[in-house]
Amino acid sequence: MRMEDSLKQLRDMANSYLSQYEPIVLIFATLLALLVARTLHSFLSAIQEKGIKALVIGFIMSSVKLIPGVRGYIESEKKKAVEKYRSSNKSNRDDWLTALPRIGLGKEVLGKLEEAKSKDEDWKGKCSGTIYIGGNQSEGHFSLTNEAYSMFSHTNPLHQDVFRSVAKFEAEVVAMTAAFLGSKEKESGGQICGNMTSGGTESILLAVKSSRDFMKAKKGITKPEMILAESAHSAYDKAAQYFNIKVRRVPVNKEFVADVKAIRRCINRNTILIVGSAPGFPHGVIDPIEELGELASCYDVCLHVDLCLGGFVLPFARKLGYPIPPFDFSVKGVTSISADVHKYGLGPKGTSIVLYRNHEIRKNQFVAVTEWSGGLYVSPTIAGSRPGGLIAGAWAAMVSLGLNGYLENTRQIMEVSKNIQKGIEEIPELFIIGKPDMTVVAFSSNVIDIFEVNDIVSSKGWHLNALQRPNSLHICVTLQHVPVYDDFLNDLRESVKLVKQNPGPISGGLAPMYGAAGKIPDRGLVQEVLIEFMDATC
């Protein structure tokens, strides 16, 4: 009875105190308290999501834009930046078609295609990544995959009852890839399954969507979050926007790999997915997949391993004796993997694979519609109709090369990668970022502007990738580089020498823009410039 007496006494005291106020005042006070609580909750959530620094900068910039004339000035500068970026791409729309020709050209159109193609950049041997097949497009493996594609260019695996051959090719591509990514290992569970997609981004999107829905069904998570290192591919940010998932990005450690302790601190009741990369796109280093697998298993969340770059190199590099740490389904906790056939798998552009540990997870990838007047509908990937020619091309690429072909290709590109790394280390003004595990070599400088070096190297025909945090460049080594890597190192040495002797941006170079973009504190403004550029070029 003492508890009841205490509650009655407390209620009487509250009623006595509140009786001196008008009911309308109490109602408004309650509403005000709710408003303050909601505002405080939103503020704290924004701090948690963006950080105090970004929030303060965003508030200051929003306030500054209210000053008369400032918004107009900012818009003018954005337009200048977009125009400069567009001009650097050498894209001239003056002769672009805006309507169908009144009379079709027939086979003459092939001449138009050849003419347009002749104006493209000379990519042979000079692009970071991009073209992974050696040789030229009129012979060898190029010719083989092109011919395979043309044989099935009008097929569509959506109609499996008609194009049984393409359905078979897809199943075999998935099974062959799964076989060298751990499906034959006892630890995998023996249920590895998957599908072909249009590229690494779609593979990642599907893995994220499947993980979200799987964890919702398993744990009832309705406010999903995923955790990834800042070096993880931007496709995860795209997935987050598409599928309404909160992203928690954590810094990399001093070795430029995912910080496992930082990831552990971010795990909460809404976590659906942890991401690891093997290797990460920027620096070519492999995240500690085994440790991430332990985390995923301990907290019962999904773990996706991004093998888009490494899927068709790491298994073979390991067979060749390179010290490659565990990265595939043999690691406990890994629930999905993405691997691109159109990179080191040497398949035609537009071919990738998403794999799952079991069918229970993969079923969340599918979309089934039962109430459509057009009949029953089910689709495995984001696309409905899919080009069977690409599937056939990927199958032809893998079967024609075989294990021996991939081993030989890997031997060549790994050797060239190590030679390029050694050559860069011998240039006093440059240093390697991290410890490259594969065929991506990132480098920077503490004494010269690395983006000015990039402009000089670009003027010599090379196409490297510009990185940030820290400002740096990387080259993704392919078979195209095997015969010309010495030329690259010579041009890089000369470019470094020129920048050191004559520091400062070259005319038409993008170094000032890259440098400015990295220093602008308002990242929302940089985002706006990127969107304006994309809107103006597509």
Side-chain angles (χ1 to χ4, degrees):
M1 292 296 292
R2 289 181 180 179
M3 179 65 72
E4 292 181 4
D5 290 341
S6 297
L7 291 174
K8 185 177 182 301
Q9 186 179 5
L10 185 63
R11 185 182 66 185
D12 291 342
M13 288 175 59
N15 287 334
S16 175
Y17 176 76
L18 295 173
S19 63
Q20 60 185 308
Y21 296 100
E22 294 287 333
I24 190 69
V25 174
L26 295 177
I27 292 173
F28 275 114
T30 303
L31 292 174
L32 180 61
L34 287 172
L35 179 62
V36 170
R38 185 178 182 85
T39 302
L40 183 61
H41 178 266
S42 299
F43 179 69
L44 292 175
S45 297
I47 289 178
Q48 187 181 42
E49 182 176 350
K50 299 180 179 179
I52 295 177
K53 181 180 177 181
L55 200 64
V56 170
I57 290 173
F59 175 76
I60 293 173
M61 290 301 299
S62 297
S63 301
V64 168
K65 289 177 182 178
L66 296 176
I67 301 174
V70 172
R71 177 175 288 277
Y73 174 77
I74 291 176
E75 291 298 322
S76 174
E77 291 302 305
K78 279 167 52 179
K79 186 175 181 180
K80 289 179 184 177
V82 170
E83 288 301 320
K84 181 175 178 60
Y85 203 19
R86 283 185 62 188
S87 64
S88 71
N89 283 353
K90 304 174 184 177
S91 178
N92 188 340
R93 296 190 174 205
D94 293 342
D95 61 347
W96 286 22
L97 294 175
T98 57
L100 283 171
R102 188 173 61 86
I103 300 175
L105 299 181
K107 288 190 175 182
E108 290 181 25
V109 75
L110 297 176
K112 293 287 186 181
L113 290 172
E114 285 290 345
E115 180 184 356
K117 183 180 177 182
S118 68
K119 296 177 182 178
D120 286 343
E121 292 289 319
D122 182 11
W123 48 261
K124 293 183 180 63
K126 294 204 167 187
C127 285
S128 172
T130 312
I131 306 294
Y132 292 80
I133 303 173
N136 60 65
Q137 289 178 292
S138 61
E139 61 186 23
H141 192 80
F142 259 123
S143 178
L144 182 145
T145 54
N146 289 342
E147 188 172 346
Y149 176 88
S150 67
M151 290 173 65
F152 293 85
S153 61
H154 294 286
T155 63
N156 181 359
L158 181 66
H159 307 286
Q160 292 191 23
D161 55 330
V162 179
F163 304 113
R164 295 186 183 90
S165 58
V166 175
K168 171 180 176 289
F169 293 152
E170 177 174 12
E172 292 183 353
V173 166
V174 169
M176 287 187 290
T177 306
F180 57 72
L181 292 179
S183 70
K184 303 297 184 181
E185 303 294 329
K186 183 179 179 181
E187 294 82 359
S188 74
Q191 293 188 47
I192 307 302
C193 54
N195 292 90
M196 289 191 66
T197 71
S198 62
T201 293
E202 187 184 357
S203 292
I204 288 170
L205 289 175
L206 289 171
V208 171
K209 187 265 184 192
S210 301
S211 299
R212 181 199 67 177
D213 293 353
F214 174 68
M215 294 300 289
K216 181 179 180 180
K218 185 177 182 179
K219 288 187 171 183
I221 297 175
T222 56
K223 295 182 179 179
E225 300 181 6
M226 60 179 171
I227 309 170
L228 49 145
E230 61 185 14
S231 57
H233 199 278
S234 53
Y236 297 99
D237 295 283
K238 183 182 286 189
Q241 292 185 33
Y242 284 0
F243 305 136
N244 195 27
I245 299 172
K246 183 176 180 178
V247 175
R248 290 182 177 271
R249 277 195 179 267
V250 301
V252 293
N253 63 22
K254 62 182 181 180
E255 300 296 332
F256 291 89
V257 299
D259 188 328
V260 177
K261 292 182 179 179
I263 289 176
R264 180 186 286 109
R265 289 193 294 269
C266 287
I267 297 176
N268 59 39
R269 63 182 181 180
N270 291 320
T271 302
I272 61 165
L273 178 67
I274 297 171
V275 171
S277 304
F281 170 82
H283 312 118
V285 292
I286 299 174
D287 287 334
I289 304 302
E290 276 191 312
E291 294 180 55
L292 294 179
E294 290 176 7
L295 267 187
S297 297
C298 179
Y299 288 93
D300 196 20
V301 298
C302 295
L303 170 61
H304 179 76
V305 179
D306 183 354
L307 279 167
C308 289
L309 262 177
F312 283 78
V313 174
L314 296 179
F316 309 113
R318 175 182 285 170
K319 286 182 178 294
L320 291 171
Y322 286 92
I324 305 297
F327 58 86
D328 56 20
F329 284 114
S330 63
V331 176
K332 182 182 178 182
V334 174
T335 53
S336 57
I337 284 176
S338 52
D340 286 358
V341 191
H342 65 203
K343 289 189 173 74
Y344 292 105
L346 307 191
K349 287 298 179 185
T351 52
S352 178
I353 298 167
V354 59
L355 297 170
Y356 299 95
R357 183 171 286 275
N358 55 52
H359 292 269
E360 183 183 0
I361 303 173
R362 188 186 52 164
K363 287 176 183 177
N364 294 276
Q365 174 182 294
F366 305 150
V367 172
V369 181
T370 61
E371 306 306 310
W372 178 38
S373 60
L376 301 177
Y377 177 89
V378 62
S379 176
T381 62
I382 291 175
S385 293
R386 292 185 292 153
L390 290 177
I391 295 172
W395 183 90
M398 293 177 67
V399 174
S400 67
L401 287 167
L403 176 60
N404 64 316
Y406 283 118
L407 285 170
E408 175 57 22
N409 290 342
T410 300
R411 183 191 64 76
Q412 292 185 51
I413 57 176
M414 288 294 286
E415 287 180 1
V416 169
S417 299
K418 298 305 178 185
N419 288 335
I420 288 177
Q421 180 179 339
K422 181 181 178 183
I424 293 173
E425 289 172 337
E426 292 172 351
I427 302 175
E429 295 81 6
L430 303 181
F431 64 89
I432 300 294
I433 294 179
K435 298 177 181 178
D437 288 304
M438 209 184 81
T439 54
V440 175
V441 183
F443 55 96
S444 186
S445 175
N446 290 324
V447 294
I448 55 177
D449 189 329
I450 197 67
F451 293 142
E452 290 179 13
V453 173
N454 189 39
D455 284 341
I456 301 292
V457 170
S458 296
S459 71
K460 299 178 181 293
W462 299 95
H463 300 270
L464 306 183
N465 291 92
L467 314 173
Q468 60 180 353
R469 300 178 182 178
N471 290 348
S472 49
L473 306 175
H474 89 206
I475 180 169
C476 179
V477 179
T478 73
L479 289 171
Q480 290 283 327
H481 295 112
V482 172
V484 298
Y485 77 90
D486 275 330
D487 296 337
F488 167 70
L489 288 172
N490 290 333
D491 284 343
L492 181 60
R493 291 189 196 96
E494 185 178 341
S495 298
V496 168
K497 183 178 179 181
L498 287 173
V499 171
K500 190 173 183 180
Q501 292 174 344
N502 302 285
I506 65 173
S507 177
L510 290 176
M513 180 176 295
Y514 284 131
K519 294 175 183 176
I520 294 175
D522 182 10
R523 305 313 290 172
L525 183 59
V526 179
Q527 184 183 46
E528 289 175 14
V529 171
L530 291 174
I531 290 174
E532 290 283 351
F533 166 72
M534 184 56 63
D535 187 54
T537 54
C538 67

PDB file of all heavy atoms in Angstrom, residues 514-530:
ATOM      1  N   TYR A 514      40.725  20.746 -58.967  1.00  0.00           N
ATOM      2  CA  TYR A 514      40.847  19.637 -58.024  1.00  0.00           C
ATOM      3  C   TYR A 514      41.269  20.154 -56.651  1.00  0.00           C
ATOM      4  O   TYR A 514      40.742  19.741 -55.614  1.00  0.00           O
ATOM      5  CB  TYR A 514      41.875  18.616 -58.516  1.00  0.00           C
ATOM      6  CG  TYR A 514      41.395  17.732 -59.635  1.00  0.00           C
ATOM      7  CD1 TYR A 514      42.161  17.535 -60.779  1.00  0.00           C
ATOM      8  CD2 TYR A 514      40.177  17.067 -59.556  1.00  0.00           C
ATOM      9  CE1 TYR A 514      41.740  16.711 -61.811  1.00  0.00           C
ATOM     10  CE2 TYR A 514      39.743  16.249 -60.580  1.00  0.00           C
ATOM     11  CZ  TYR A 514      40.530  16.076 -61.705  1.00  0.00           C
ATOM     12  OH  TYR A 514      40.102  15.263 -62.721  1.00  0.00           O
ATOM     13  N   GLY A 515      42.254  21.052 -56.652  1.00  0.00           N
ATOM     14  CA  GLY A 515      42.752  21.592 -55.397  1.00  0.00           C
ATOM     15  C   GLY A 515      41.683  22.388 -54.659  1.00  0.00           C
ATOM     16  O   GLY A 515      41.510  22.247 -53.450  1.00  0.00           O
ATOM     17  N   ALA A 516      40.946  23.210 -55.396  1.00  0.00           N
ATOM     18  CA  ALA A 516      39.904  24.030 -54.781  1.00  0.00           C
ATOM     19  C   ALA A 516      38.785  23.162 -54.227  1.00  0.00           C
ATOM     20  O   ALA A 516      38.257  23.409 -53.141  1.00  0.00           O
ATOM     21  CB  ALA A 516      39.351  25.020 -55.798  1.00  0.00           C
ATOM     22  N   ALA A 517      38.415  22.124 -54.978  1.00  0.00           N
ATOM     23  CA  ALA A 517      37.326  21.245 -54.534  1.00  0.00           C
ATOM     24  C   ALA A 517      37.664  20.594 -53.207  1.00  0.00           C
ATOM     25  O   ALA A 517      36.801  20.407 -52.346  1.00  0.00           O
ATOM     26  CB  ALA A 517      37.053  20.177 -55.590  1.00  0.00           C
ATOM     27  N   GLY A 518      38.940  20.252 -53.025  1.00  0.00           N
ATOM     28  CA  GLY A 518      39.346  19.607 -51.781  1.00  0.00           C
ATOM     29  C   GLY A 518      39.364  20.555 -50.604  1.00  0.00           C
ATOM     30  O   GLY A 518      39.253  20.128 -49.454  1.00  0.00           O
ATOM     31  N   LYS A 519      39.509  21.863 -50.873  1.00  0.00           N
ATOM     32  CA  LYS A 519      39.615  22.844 -49.795  1.00  0.00           C
ATOM     33  C   LYS A 519      38.280  23.491 -49.436  1.00  0.00           C
ATOM     34  O   LYS A 519      38.167  24.141 -48.404  1.00  0.00           O
ATOM     35  CB  LYS A 519      40.611  23.932 -50.201  1.00  0.00           C
ATOM     36  CG  LYS A 519      42.041  23.420 -50.333  1.00  0.00           C
ATOM     37  CD  LYS A 519      42.973  24.503 -50.859  1.00  0.00           C
ATOM     38  CE  LYS A 519      44.388  23.975 -51.051  1.00  0.00           C
ATOM     39  NZ  LYS A 519      45.281  24.997 -51.651  1.00  0.00           N
ATOM     40  N   ILE A 520      37.266  23.364 -50.301  1.00  0.00           N
ATOM     41  CA  ILE A 520      35.973  23.975 -50.013  1.00  0.00           C
ATOM     42  C   ILE A 520      35.335  23.255 -48.826  1.00  0.00           C
ATOM     43  O   ILE A 520      35.070  22.048 -48.888  1.00  0.00           O
ATOM     44  CB  ILE A 520      35.034  23.898 -51.238  1.00  0.00           C
ATOM     45  CG1 ILE A 520      35.589  24.753 -52.373  1.00  0.00           C
ATOM     46  CG2 ILE A 520      33.623  24.362 -50.877  1.00  0.00           C
ATOM     47  CD1 ILE A 520      34.792  24.647 -53.667  1.00  0.00           C
ATOM     48  N   PRO A 521      35.080  23.980 -47.722  1.00  0.00           N
ATOM     49  CA  PRO A 521      34.519  23.319 -46.536  1.00  0.00           C
ATOM     50  C   PRO A 521      33.070  22.889 -46.729  1.00  0.00           C
ATOM     51  O   PRO A 521      32.634  21.916 -46.125  1.00  0.00           O
ATOM     52  CB  PRO A 521      34.651  24.387 -45.447  1.00  0.00           C
ATOM     53  CG  PRO A 521      34.672  25.684 -46.188  1.00  0.00           C
ATOM     54  CD  PRO A 521      35.361  25.407 -47.489  1.00  0.00           C
ATOM     55  N   ASP A 522      32.336  23.627 -47.552  1.00  0.00           N
ATOM     56  CA  ASP A 522      30.925  23.294 -47.777  1.00  0.00           C
ATOM     57  C   ASP A 522      30.838  22.215 -48.848  1.00  0.00           C
ATOM     58  O   ASP A 522      30.824  22.503 -50.045  1.00  0.00           O
ATOM     59  CB  ASP A 522      30.157  24.551 -48.205  1.00  0.00           C
ATOM     60  CG  ASP A 522      28.668  24.287 -48.404  1.00  0.00           C
ATOM     61  OD1 ASP A 522      28.217  23.191 -48.023  1.00  0.00           O
ATOM     62  OD2 ASP A 522      27.965  25.160 -48.945  1.00  0.00           O
ATOM     63  N   ARG A 523      30.751  20.945 -48.425  1.00  0.00           N
ATOM     64  CA  ARG A 523      30.735  19.846 -49.390  1.00  0.00           C
ATOM     65  C   ARG A 523      29.438  19.826 -50.190  1.00  0.00           C
ATOM     66  O   ARG A 523      29.374  19.270 -51.281  1.00  0.00           O
ATOM     67  CB  ARG A 523      30.910  18.509 -48.668  1.00  0.00           C
ATOM     68  CG  ARG A 523      32.148  18.431 -47.787  1.00  0.00           C
ATOM     69  CD  ARG A 523      33.392  18.931 -48.488  1.00  0.00           C
ATOM     70  NE  ARG A 523      33.842  18.039 -49.546  1.00  0.00           N
ATOM     71  CZ  ARG A 523      34.811  18.324 -50.392  1.00  0.00           C
ATOM     72  NH1 ARG A 523      35.426  19.487 -50.340  1.00  0.00           N
ATOM     73  NH2 ARG A 523      35.162  17.447 -51.318  1.00  0.00           N
ATOM     74  N   GLY A 524      28.389  20.463 -49.627  1.00  0.00           N
ATOM     75  CA  GLY A 524      27.138  20.573 -50.371  1.00  0.00           C
ATOM     76  C   GLY A 524      27.320  21.383 -51.644  1.00  0.00           C
ATOM     77  O   GLY A 524      26.708  21.094 -52.673  1.00  0.00           O
ATOM     78  N   LEU A 525      28.185  22.398 -51.590  1.00  0.00           N
ATOM     79  CA  LEU A 525      28.458  23.225 -52.763  1.00  0.00           C
ATOM     80  C   LEU A 525      29.192  22.419 -53.826  1.00  0.00           C
ATOM     81  O   LEU A 525      28.889  22.523 -55.022  1.00  0.00           O
ATOM     82  CB  LEU A 525      29.288  24.448 -52.353  1.00  0.00           C
ATOM     83  CG  LEU A 525      29.603  25.460 -53.456  1.00  0.00           C
ATOM     84  CD1 LEU A 525      28.324  26.015 -54.064  1.00  0.00           C
ATOM     85  CD2 LEU A 525      30.463  26.599 -52.903  1.00  0.00           C
ATOM     86  N   VAL A 526      30.152  21.590 -53.396  1.00  0.00           N
ATOM     87  CA  VAL A 526      30.860  20.726 -54.341  1.00  0.00           C
ATOM     88  C   VAL A 526      29.886  19.751 -54.986  1.00  0.00           C
ATOM     89  O   VAL A 526      29.940  19.495 -56.198  1.00  0.00           O
ATOM     90  CB  VAL A 526      31.989  19.949 -53.625  1.00  0.00           C
ATOM     91  CG1 VAL A 526      32.713  19.027 -54.601  1.00  0.00           C
ATOM     92  CG2 VAL A 526      32.979  20.917 -52.987  1.00  0.00           C
ATOM     93  N   GLN A 527      28.970  19.228 -54.186  1.00  0.00           N
ATOM     94  CA  GLN A 527      27.952  18.311 -54.704  1.00  0.00           C
ATOM     95  C   GLN A 527      27.088  18.992 -55.759  1.00  0.00           C
ATOM     96  O   GLN A 527      26.779  18.411 -56.807  1.00  0.00           O
ATOM     97  CB  GLN A 527      27.083  17.813 -53.550  1.00  0.00           C
ATOM     98  CG  GLN A 527      26.041  16.776 -53.969  1.00  0.00           C
ATOM     99  CD  GLN A 527      25.165  16.367 -52.801  1.00  0.00           C
ATOM    100  OE1 GLN A 527      24.680  17.206 -52.049  1.00  0.00           O
ATOM    101  NE2 GLN A 527      24.962  15.067 -52.643  1.00  0.00           N
ATOM    102  N   GLU A 528      26.726  20.250 -55.508  1.00  0.00           N
ATOM    103  CA  GLU A 528      25.905  20.999 -56.470  1.00  0.00           C
ATOM    104  C   GLU A 528      26.637  21.180 -57.799  1.00  0.00           C
ATOM    105  O   GLU A 528      26.034  21.070 -58.869  1.00  0.00           O
ATOM    106  CB  GLU A 528      25.530  22.363 -55.882  1.00  0.00           C
ATOM    107  CG  GLU A 528      24.527  22.306 -54.737  1.00  0.00           C
ATOM    108  CD  GLU A 528      24.298  23.667 -54.111  1.00  0.00           C
ATOM    109  OE1 GLU A 528      24.702  24.676 -54.727  1.00  0.00           O
ATOM    110  OE2 GLU A 528      23.723  23.729 -53.006  1.00  0.00           O
ATOM    111  N   VAL A 529      27.944  21.450 -57.725  1.00  0.00           N
ATOM    112  CA  VAL A 529      28.734  21.620 -58.953  1.00  0.00           C
ATOM    113  C   VAL A 529      28.756  20.325 -59.753  1.00  0.00           C
ATOM    114  O   VAL A 529      28.590  20.327 -60.988  1.00  0.00           O
ATOM    115  CB  VAL A 529      30.168  22.083 -58.613  1.00  0.00           C
ATOM    116  CG1 VAL A 529      31.043  22.050 -59.866  1.00  0.00           C
ATOM    117  CG2 VAL A 529      30.159  23.487 -58.032  1.00  0.00           C
ATOM    118  N   LEU A 530      28.952  19.203 -59.061  1.00  0.00           N
ATOM    119  CA  LEU A 530      28.973  17.913 -59.744  1.00  0.00           C
ATOM    120  C   LEU A 530      27.638  17.617 -60.428  1.00  0.00           C
ATOM    121  O   LEU A 530      27.592  17.134 -61.565  1.00  0.00           O
ATOM    122  CB  LEU A 530      29.303  16.796 -58.754  1.00  0.00           C
ATOM    123  CG  LEU A 530      30.725  16.779 -58.185  1.00  0.00           C
ATOM    124  CD1 LEU A 530      30.853  15.705 -57.123  1.00  0.00           C
ATOM    125  CD2 LEU A 530      31.748  16.573 -59.286  1.00  0.00           C
TER     126      LEU A 530
END
